[in-house]
Amino acid sequence: MLLMREGFTEDGPRSVAAPLTVAAGSVGSIQVLRGQLLRISALAPGAVASLFGFSLVDPAVWLSVHHTRVFSNSYLLGSGMRLVNNRRRPMMVLGKDSVKRHDLLLPASTRDFLASRGYQDEGCVEAVSRELSRLGIRAPKLPDPINLFMHVRLTQAGEILPEPNLTRAGDAITCRVTMDMQFVVSACNTGIEGNDQPAPLRLAVAENLFDFNED
């Protein structure tokens, strides 16, 4: 069971999810309420965090990488950028970011894809689907993730080229969440050379930036 701690706003106390460590090769989930901050941190070099988000009110409303690209007319994440759902409404806003390199193009890995590349690990799709089932979330489909900390580039010929991941331990991204959300974050193997060594992650929620210092 997810432990909660108390936060305080102008409307009085409300629950704040306790910090969570996601082991390398696994997934973790955390609830974040409207107006709260979500921080995702790398605990080891080379970390990639595949981020999925669903409305607590309606799991048919999810964080959509496709609509985020169209909404922002960009395949790159930048400070102040709004990440939107499949109904084109903002779900979160990107704030502090020590990496500034993230992927909005590649889908989640599957067991079959990993096996084709010589890995025996469970794929991100299977791991996240199992976590959603555990949470009792029945979404109509599993959307593609936002792959935080993953480095890719586009060539003039239209190729998508993954690049070696330079994420360092302690790197982090912080977002302001704009609706009540259930997030699932995968630290699973991507199967992509240069980004294929799973590393642990830390998820933390706060009402204000200074609250993160209390974790």
Side-chain angles (χ1 to χ4, degrees), residues 27-108:
V27 301
S29 54
I30 197 165
Q31 289 187 6
V32 187
L33 303 180
R34 178 181 179 183
Q36 292 178 340
L37 297 170
L38 170 65
R39 175 169 291 175
I40 301 175
S41 306
L43 295 182
V48 170
S50 294
L51 176 67
F52 301 80
F54 299 86
S55 165
L56 282 177
V57 175
D58 181 2
V61 177
W62 58 74
L63 182 63
S64 173
V65 65
H66 309 298
H67 292 86
T68 294
R69 289 196 304 263
V70 173
F71 186 85
S72 301
N73 194 31
S74 176
Y75 69 93
L76 300 174
L77 287 180
S79 181
M81 183 170 172
R82 289 176 288 180
L83 285 65
V84 304
N85 60 33
N86 53 314
R87 298 181 183 176
R88 300 177 187 265
R89 299 194 60 184
M91 281 190 146
M92 54 202 307
V93 180
L94 176 61
K96 189 175 181 180
D97 178 9
S98 67
V99 179
K100 300 180 177 63
R101 293 286 300 276
H102 313 281
D103 167 57
L104 298 179
L105 298 172
L106 299 178

Side-chain angles (χ1 to χ4, degrees), residues 6 44 63 68 87 108 130 133 139 142 145 151 158 166 183 185 191 203:
E6 291 299 311
L63 182 63
T68 294
R87 298 181 183 176
R130 188 176 64 253
S133 179
L142 183 66
H151 298 358
L166 303 179
F183 289 101
V185 182
L203 314 180

Side-chain angles (χ1 to χ4, degrees), residues 128-202:
V128 171
S129 296
R130 188 176 64 253
E131 179 67 6
L132 291 176
S133 179
R134 185 188 72 82
L135 294 169
I137 295 177
R138 294 177 175 84
K141 60 171 287 186
L142 183 66
D144 286 342
I146 291 176
N147 297 307
L148 299 174
F149 311 144
M150 183 182 285
H151 298 358
V152 301
R153 66 182 176 90
L154 292 180
T155 69
Q156 290 185 341
E159 297 172 300
I160 303 174
L161 297 181
E163 296 185 324
N165 192 323
L166 303 179
T167 308
R168 301 165 298 179
D171 277 334
I173 186 171
T174 303
C175 293
R176 176 75 67 180
V177 174
T178 58
M179 62 176 61
D180 294 348
M181 297 283 296
Q182 176 70 62
F183 289 101
V184 179
V185 182
S186 170
C188 297
N189 194 332
T190 66
I192 297 173
E193 187 175 357
N195 295 272
D196 57 353
Q197 296 298 321
L201 304 165
R202 185 173 186 273

